[in-house]
Amino acid sequence: TETRALNSTVTLMKVEAPDVAKRAKAGQFIILRVDDKGERIPLTVADTDPATGEVTIMFQVAGATTRLLSMMKAGDFLADFVGPLGQPTHYEGAKKVCVVGGGVGCAIAYPQAKTLHKMGIPVDVVAGFKSKDIVILEDEFTAACDNLYITTDDGTYGIPGFVTTQLEKLINEGKGYDLVIAIGPIPMMKFVSAVTKKYGIKTIVSLNPVMIDGTGMCGGCRVTVGGETKFACVDGPDFDGHLVDYDGLMKRNSFYKEVEKAKDEHVCR
Ligand code: FES
């Protein structure tokens, strides 16, 4: 029903899917196919409007499917839009939360902040980007948290430096977080978890492995958490950040890189 470029590579899209809009909670995702021969890709539900039946997704062009998706216009149809899938995020007992988003991961961090804010739980957001021109959702975050800290790696906007440095600074200032939710590139979630582990702060990360069926049958999304194999689509996508095998996840996620690149080049041609 609507598409909007948030920056040069990230698109916001609203999709009419009333059944999903009615039931989806923060942390859950959908799997879509652009057409009936298309690959299935998981995307986190960024927002819902049960009154209009719309579900908001945000995605970065990262390969053939997201490129095709970015070319769609209001009024077009997707072949499938299945969800909500996965477990909603559990906030039990949280008294003060810091949500940390990295790049397009901020699209997933946003519904977390919004939900916590609505629940009346104090929530700060640290949103990190490479540079000013790719900052997204600043107004939305401002309305959905108590304090917003935007960082840029190159210092062109907000606080110069990485989200980990800002998070550690806030912890040392005595913010008193008892839960950190980190969503973004795998190395970012790994390093955020390393910081919070030092201070003994519970940390949830949202994992993004390759997925196929999204219902726990194919095993494509398996990740190692605390030495056990878990399926991100049914056991997650949220996991204890201190227990995830990030290096294994990075290795599995790069497994189809060459094929993905070739397919994307084919679509571009
Ligand atoms: Fe198949 Fe999770 S996507 S088991």
Side-chain angles (χ1 to χ4, degrees), residues 29 31 42 209-222 230-235:
F29 64 94
I31 286 187
V210 171
M211 288 193 190
I212 303 168
D213 64 298
T215 57
M217 289 190 282
C218 71
C221 67
R222 65 186 178 274
K230 299 280 182 191
F231 290 170
C233 68
V234 286
D235 300 319

Side-chain angles (χ1 to χ4, degrees), residues 113-114 117 122-126 140-149:
K114 191 177 160 190
H117 199 57
V123 54
D124 290 350
V125 172
V126 180
E140 287 82 351
F141 273 126
T142 303
C145 71
D146 295 279
N147 298 292
L148 171 64
Y149 306 91

Side-chain angles (χ1 to χ4, degrees), residues 146-176:
D146 295 279
N147 298 292
L148 171 64
Y149 306 91
I150 293 183
T151 67
T152 49
D153 299 357
D154 64 2
T156 47
Y157 193 67
I159 303 155
F162 297 124
V163 289
T164 40
T165 314
Q166 181 59 23
L167 173 64
E168 190 154 16
K169 185 169 172 264
L170 294 170
I171 294 169
N172 285 322
E173 281 172 5
K175 286 282 193 175

